[in-house]
């Protein structure tokens, strides 16, 4: 069948009409009739099946064929958001050769996106833990504004793009541009929303050389395991370089450990955040660490973050003697943060002297506080 013959079929006309109406698409590769789509692509002028598609969520079971399968969905000039989620195969052998193929497949998918979706603004990548992706892969997409990287980023270059003189040649079937040069790759400079998964192999300096943190206004970092003091050091470096107008920060290491790390003062560890005075939401969950927190520290937080609406601080309290005596700081925190609605703290000692065994819920006419909770 030729394209001209297909245009005379009412069923094909209906397909063309309805496919042009699709703006958001959520699809699983394993449930997709790829042979049929290949046939339809050959009949559509330009090979663009969904010309008005703006957002694509792709769930992949077989990463080896990802670049070829997904390329037929990337022809829309209106696409601005892409999510690639790799379903973990628990039966697959995690051998080095397969992990390398997996990594190369993800990089190749990013190459396909670079060639066919130059205006992409939002990207989500989610791979199983232990699949390492070169952080330089991100340089293929310099126009991104929001990035959610649930991948294990490591130093390194994409195969074939390791030097200024190198260029990666692509087959014409990918459409659009057919080559990528080293000179075309550049650090992400417009990122305002950044979500990262942190692993033992993640190097903070490499990440920051590929992603400029100075424009990041929403930052989320999730540890993929117990990373010890390295995680806190990396977080301190990252938060020292984020935008001064940071509004949302979330830091999480939810894995409990028998050997808790005693990290001293909470404010000493997260002091760079005290200079981000536009913070509205601060959520810090560190279950393999232990800190000290004083009532006066809450007063310091209140004065540092006057626009705060949501405060969540949690760590594993291993001894009642280490519970912070902070009930006297709650009122000053609530008075300083007039928009504060939700507060969660790791615990609280109410004292042993007469009159100290009370929790004073800071309610006064201007208070907006709705919920106060403890671990």
């Amino acid at each position: 069948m030729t394209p001209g013959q297909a245009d005379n079929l009412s069923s094909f006309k209906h397909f063309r009409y309805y496919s042009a109406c699709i703006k958001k698409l959520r699809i699983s590769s394993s449930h997709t009739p790829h042979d049929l789509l290949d046939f339809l692509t050959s009949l559509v002028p330009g090979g663009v099946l969904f010309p008005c598609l703006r957002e694509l969520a792709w769930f992949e079971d077989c990463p080896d064929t990802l670049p070829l399968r997904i390329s037929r969905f990337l022809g829309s000039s209106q696409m601005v958001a892409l999510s690639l989620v790799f379903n973990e195969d628990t039966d697959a052998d995690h051998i080095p050769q397969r992990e390398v193929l997996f990594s190369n497949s993800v990089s190749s998918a990013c190459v396909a996106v670079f060639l066919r979706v130059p205006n992409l603004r939002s990207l989500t990548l989610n791979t199983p833990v232990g699949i390492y992706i070169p952080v330089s892969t991100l340089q293929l997409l310099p126009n991104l504004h929001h990035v959610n990287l649930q991948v294990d980023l490591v130093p390194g270059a994409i195969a074939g793009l390791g030097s200024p003189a190198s260029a990666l040649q692509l087959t014409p079937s990918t459409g659009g541009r057919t080559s990528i040069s080293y000179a075309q790759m550049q650090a992400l400079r417009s990122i305002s929303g950044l979500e990262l998964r942190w692993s033992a192999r993640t190097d903070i300096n490499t990440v920051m050389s590929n992603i400029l943190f100075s424009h990041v206004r929403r930052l989320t970092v999730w540890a993929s395991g117990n990373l010890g003091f390295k995680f806190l050091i990396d977080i301190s470096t990252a938060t020292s370089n984020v935008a001064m107008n940071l509004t949302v920060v979330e830091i999480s290491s939810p894995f409990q450990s028998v050997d808790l790390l005693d990290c001293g003062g909470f404010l000493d560890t997260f002091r760079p955040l005290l200079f981000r005075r536009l913070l509205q939401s601060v959520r810090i969950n560190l279950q393999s660490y232990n800190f000290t927190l004083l009532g006066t520290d809450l007063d310091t937080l209140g004065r540092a973050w006057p626009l705060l609406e949501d405060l969540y601080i949690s760590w594993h309290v291993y001894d009642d003697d280490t519970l912070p005596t902070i009930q006297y700081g709650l009122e000053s925190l609530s008075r300083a943060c007039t928009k504060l609605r939700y507060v969660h703290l790791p615990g609280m000692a109410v004292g042993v002297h007469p009159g100290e065994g009370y929790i004073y819920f800071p309610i006064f006419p201007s208070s907006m506080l709705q919920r106060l909770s403890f671990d």
Side-chain angles (χ1 to χ4, degrees), residues 85 96 100 107 133 139 155 224 228 243 275 278 322 346 364 374:
V85 179
V100 170
S107 296
I133 308 300
Q139 295 185 357
S224 61
F275 299 97
L278 299 184
T322 66
F364 42 86
F374 305 93

Side-chain angles (χ1 to χ4, degrees), residues 264-271 284 291-293 297 301 313 315:
F266 176 80
L267 294 190
D268 293 334
T269 301
F270 295 97
R271 191 163 300 279
I284 299 175
F291 302 88
T292 58
L293 184 68
D297 292 341
L301 295 181
I313 300 175
W315 61 73

Side-chain angles (χ1 to χ4, degrees), residues 5-82:
Q5 293 172 327
D7 285 338
N8 294 323
L9 296 177
S10 59
S11 58
F12 186 69
K13 291 181 179 179
H14 289 157
F15 170 79
R16 291 290 304 279
Y17 173 79
Y18 288 112
S19 65
C21 295
I22 296 177
K23 298 184 182 299
K24 296 182 180 180
L25 186 60
R26 180 184 176 95
I27 190 167
S28 173
S29 177
S30 59
H31 299 140
T32 302
H34 295 286
D35 292 339
L36 175 60
L37 289 175
D38 284 337
F39 174 68
L40 292 174
T41 301
S42 68
L43 300 178
V44 176
V48 180
L49 288 179
F50 306 97
C52 298
L53 189 63
R54 293 182 58 81
E55 300 179 18
L56 172 63
W58 183 276
F59 297 84
E60 181 60 65
D61 295 307
C62 183
D64 299 345
T65 58
L66 168 66
L68 178 62
R69 289 180 172 183
I70 199 175
S71 60
R72 64 172 67 92
F73 293 87
L74 301 178
S76 171
S77 61
Q78 300 181 33
M79 184 175 290
V80 294
L82 173 64

